[in-house]
Amino acid sequence: MQFDLSSLETATLVFIGTLVFGVILAAFVLAAGLVALVLLGAGKLSWTLVSTTLLALVHGINASWDKLVHRSSSADVAGEFQGQVSPSTGTYPRVILRDS
């Protein structure tokens, strides 16, 4: 037995068409929402990785600098620095310029 669409009323065909169109629209909205969530998750993951890496890098630099400062402060300087003899520049002695 074959199904004949001509036996259905127009209102029934419009109702079935509306339901099919609604299912297609709902599927599109669900797919778009899923894609948006996936993109949002990927962006969040990449931002978390980048920020964690940068934060670890900054903490590593700070820890290294702290170790360097503590080591240099514990070093014993044998004596004062000796002044170096500088040759004159002709008739005028060499002048050390300071920040003004």
Side-chain angles (χ1 to χ4, degrees):
M1 181 171 152
Q2 292 183 348
F3 184 70
D4 187 15
L5 288 178
S6 62
S7 65
L8 293 176
E9 293 184 17
T10 306
T12 306
L13 289 175
V14 168
F15 180 73
I16 292 172
T18 305
L19 286 179
V20 170
F21 188 69
V23 168
I24 291 171
L25 282 178
F28 177 76
V29 169
L30 286 174
L34 181 65
V35 168
L37 285 175
V38 167
L39 289 176
L40 207 68
K44 171 81 173 181
L45 177 66
S46 63
W47 170 250
T48 302
L49 290 175
V50 167
S51 65
T52 304
T53 303
L54 287 177
L55 194 62
L57 182 67
V58 167
H59 283 301
I61 291 171
N62 285 340
S64 299
W65 182 255
D66 195 36
K67 286 180 185 178
L68 180 69
V69 167
H70 286 310
R71 274 191 193 162
S72 64
S73 68
S74 66
D76 185 26
V77 179
E80 294 292 322
F81 291 108
Q82 301 296 323
Q84 295 179 349
V85 178
S86 60
S88 70
T89 57
T91 57
Y92 300 103
R94 184 171 288 194
V95 176
I96 298 174
L97 298 176
R98 294 187 180 159
D99 292 334
S100 49

